[in-house]
């Protein structure tokens, strides 16, 4: 079974992820079939990018996205949600400062 999930990259204390299509039996950072995008936790706005055509292809083939990837797909397909999330994270940054 194919899953669409995140694969951790980056340094210690600076997590970055690649969104990949992988066999469900392979380990998190192990073998994958195709890279579909990326997600960076350190960036406030526009912190991910997805190839929606390839994501749609894998979903049509029966791939199951993880919960986090499913929310990123929803945000990518709905620009209003993406803008809302950017405003929300900007407000959180202001509170921290």
């Amino acid at each position: 079974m194919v899953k669409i999930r995140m694969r951790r990259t980056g340094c210690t204390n600076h997590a970055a992820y690649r969104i990949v299509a992988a066999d469900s039996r392979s380990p998190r950072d192990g073998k994958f079939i195709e890279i579909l995008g990326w997600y960076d936790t350190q960036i406030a706005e526009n912190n991910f990018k997805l190839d929606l055509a390839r994501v749609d292809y894998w979903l049509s083939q029966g791939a199951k996205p993880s919960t986090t990837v499913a929310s990123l797909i929803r945000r990518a397909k709905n620009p209003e949600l993406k803008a809302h999330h950017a405003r929300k994270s900007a407000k959180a940054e202001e509170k921290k400062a």
Side-chain angles (χ1 to χ4, degrees):
M1 173 184 223
V2 177
K3 288 204 171 230
I4 301 174
R5 62 184 183 202
M6 296 196 299
R7 177 179 199 255
R8 187 182 165 115
T9 60
C11 302
T12 306
N13 298 327
H14 182 62
Y17 298 91
R18 289 197 176 124
I19 300 167
V20 297
D23 190 316
S24 62
R25 296 169 291 182
S26 65
R28 179 191 71 182
D29 297 337
K31 189 173 151 184
F32 60 91
I33 301 167
E34 181 180 4
I35 296 175
L36 304 173
W38 56 267
Y39 172 61
D40 192 346
T41 59
Q42 303 293 318
I43 301 172
E45 292 182 30
N46 298 324
N47 60 351
F48 74 96
K49 184 174 183 179
L50 282 173
D51 184 356
L52 289 176
R54 294 305 295 167
V55 169
D56 289 338
Y57 166 78
W58 283 109
L59 291 174
S60 72
Q61 296 300 310
K64 302 286 184 199
S66 67
T67 55
T68 305
V69 172
S71 76
L72 291 175
I73 293 169
R74 276 194 305 274
R75 283 174 46 196
K77 289 185 177 183
N78 188 350
E80 187 176 303
L81 282 177
K82 194 172 186 178
H84 171 72
H85 183 73
R87 285 191 305 270
K88 187 176 173 184
S89 57
K91 286 180 183 179
E93 290 294 324
E94 287 177 6
K95 283 185 177 181
K96 285 182 183 178

